Amino acid sequence: MKQFIFFVSILLLLPVFQVSSDGLVIGPEDLRIEQSLEGGYNLWIRNKPGLESVLLTESTEDPERKAATYALRAPEYNPHNGDEKRMLDGEFLDPEKKLFSLIDSTPESYEAFGSAFRIFIPYIVIYGYEWTRSGEMLVVDGTYLSVRAFGAKYADYGSGFRDNPFILRVAQKPLEGPPEGNYMDDTVKTYTEIAEEGGGRVIYCRGEDDLLNALDEVLDEVDSGSLDLVLALDTTASMENDIPWLKRELVPLLKEQTEGYGHFRFGMVLYRDYHEDYLTRVRPFQKTLDGIQGVINRTTVFGGRDIPEAVYEALYEGVHAFPWMATDRKLLLIGDAPPHERPRGRVTEDMVYEDAEAIGVEITTIILPQ
């Protein structure tokens, strides 16, 4: 099974407001952060004597109290923190306002700590209000956050608090072991939509050993003897088990399936994400098996600063960067992570669907497990 591993590093900053209880001091050994298949991160905070609630904030409190700092909030309800109460100025916030602060006053069992608070952090969080400084924040590698620890439940400031700032550090690495069919909810949702809108279908793959069957299914659909095939391939570090397989097995499969074709060309779009060493990288059409093998052999994996990747950007390049000519025109997306929830550049999903349909390119998706 492949999963993402996350590392949290703590900034050594002095808190603004000290209280006597050591329970409000949260260090690296008191934090764990894990990928959630629901789309985001689960932040676990060790339950300690004197610690009654935790609240995630955008920054530490201004020592001079001249600038306001705000609690981070989820854009929508989630079952982990959506029902948690929060107190401000001695009164509970009205649940009808649906603010969804990232707060927890209810410790639960957690193997690493015995008992821990849990805060679910979506990829996009919000802060502030319409009448104040406000905005959205994308939670990725390098994001600055603060765990505000309270001596009373519901983040009640009357008991005192302590800010514990940290920087989120994210590294992707596939874990060893057989795949168990764990597919990220956001990946399933978006890959299914892409396949439906792109006129293709979605294929669930159990892991790198099952990729042969998935690709075989796609090639079996071709009966015209004329095929242009482009792979849009995730090349972040979570794919390091899959790329060696492609280098070893893909060309023999293509040789067997396309023998006798009157026309066959193969191209690739490698993709990572914004702020990586590349967003997308196009490998033009190749007509020979040796040429295809050379392209695949030069493919490497690296990076992956967060879970979502530049999926729509890769598909857009797949549609536009190739001189499609064959009767069957297939763009095949292979990956294990979803696209960004909201566009980070100029490319949108509708642009991909409309342009692919206009030139007769069919988009099929292969979902790999986390």
Side-chain angles (χ1 to χ4, degrees), residues 125-180:
V125 296
I126 55 180
Y127 62 88
Y129 306 95
E130 293 180 357
W131 59 91
T132 67
R133 179 174 59 85
S134 61
E136 295 181 340
M137 187 166 69
L138 184 66
V139 182
V140 295
D141 179 59
T143 298
Y144 179 98
L145 301 167
S146 183
V147 176
R148 188 162 289 177
F150 294 83
K153 288 184 176 297
Y154 316 123
D156 181 3
Y157 283 93
S159 65
F161 69 93
R162 176 183 174 120
D163 280 317
N164 299 274
F166 67 92
I167 290 178
L168 180 66
R169 292 298 183 196
V170 179
Q172 296 185 16
K173 184 178 180 181
L175 300 182
E176 296 181 359
E180 298 176 8

Side-chain angles (χ1 to χ4, degrees), residues 1-278:
M1 181 178 72
K2 293 193 301 182
Q3 288 188 348
F4 298 100
I5 298 176
F6 300 97
F7 301 93
V8 178
S9 64
I10 302 298
L11 286 175
L12 300 178
L13 298 178
L14 292 176
V16 172
F17 183 50
Q18 290 272 14
V19 295
S20 58
S21 173
D22 290 338
L24 303 192
V25 179
I26 297 174
E29 70 280 1
D30 300 317
L31 294 176
R32 294 288 187 278
I33 191 162
E34 301 169 345
Q35 172 198 3
S36 169
L37 293 178
E38 298 168 271
Y41 316 94
N42 282 317
L43 176 63
W44 297 91
I45 303 153
R46 188 192 305 272
N47 184 18
K48 306 164 73 174
L51 178 61
E52 295 294 334
S53 60
V54 289
L55 175 71
L56 212 59
T57 63
E58 54 161 343
S59 179
T60 56
E61 187 75 3
D62 177 12
E64 298 182 1
R65 305 293 176 91
K66 293 181 178 180
T69 59
Y70 295 102
L72 296 177
R73 310 196 311 274
E76 58 188 24
Y77 174 87
N78 74 75
H80 305 299
N81 306 111
D83 296 316
E84 287 285 334
K85 297 179 181 179
R86 184 183 168 199
M87 182 172 284
L88 192 61
D89 297 328
E91 296 183 359
F92 285 112
L93 298 183
D94 184 358
E96 294 299 320
K97 293 184 177 180
K98 299 181 179 180
L99 296 177
F100 304 134
S101 298
L102 301 187
I103 182 176
D104 192 16
S105 301
T106 314
E108 57 189 277
S109 177
Y110 179 60
E111 184 176 359
F113 297 148
S115 176
F117 298 93
R118 172 166 60 165
I119 294 179
F120 175 73
I121 309 174
Y123 299 136
I124 297 175
V125 296
I126 55 180
Y127 62 88
Y129 306 95
E130 293 180 357
W131 59 91
T132 67
R133 179 174 59 85
S134 61
E136 295 181 340
M137 187 166 69
L138 184 66
V139 182
V140 295
D141 179 59
T143 298
Y144 179 98
L145 301 167
S146 183
V147 176
R148 188 162 289 177
F150 294 83
K153 288 184 176 297
Y154 316 123
D156 181 3
Y157 283 93
S159 65
F161 69 93
R162 176 183 174 120
D163 280 317
N164 299 274
F166 67 92
I167 290 178
L168 180 66
R169 292 298 183 196
V170 179
Q172 296 185 16
K173 184 178 180 181
L175 300 182
E176 296 181 359
E180 298 176 8
N182 286 334
Y183 305 100
M184 191 171 176
D185 292 347
D186 285 350
T187 306
V188 171
K189 178 182 177 181
T190 53
Y191 275 46
T192 300
E193 178 185 286
I194 289 168
E196 290 175 350
E197 295 290 340
R201 62 194 183 97
V202 59
I203 301 174
Y204 291 84
C205 187
R206 294 189 298 272
E208 61 271 10
D209 293 337
D210 194 38
L211 261 177
L212 180 65
N213 295 328
L215 291 169
D216 206 27
E217 285 185 40
V218 174
L219 294 172
D220 278 342
E221 298 170 352
V222 179
D223 55 15
S224 66
S226 175
L227 172 65
D228 283 338
L229 175 65
V230 172
L231 262 57
L233 182 66
D234 180 356
T235 57
T236 57
S238 68
M239 297 286 290
E240 71 179 23
N241 288 344
D242 306 291
I243 302 302
W245 182 93
L246 287 172
K247 292 179 179 180
R248 184 178 66 251
E249 302 290 345
L250 180 58
V251 167
L253 173 65
L254 293 176
K255 180 180 180 180
E256 177 183 346
Q257 283 279 10
T258 63
E259 190 172 6
Y261 276 23
H263 172 96
F264 173 64
R265 295 184 300 174
F266 174 90
M268 295 180 73
V269 179
L270 314 179
Y271 70 91
R272 290 179 181 169
D273 202 5
Y274 292 89
H275 308 298
E276 300 287 349
D277 55 342
Y278 63 81

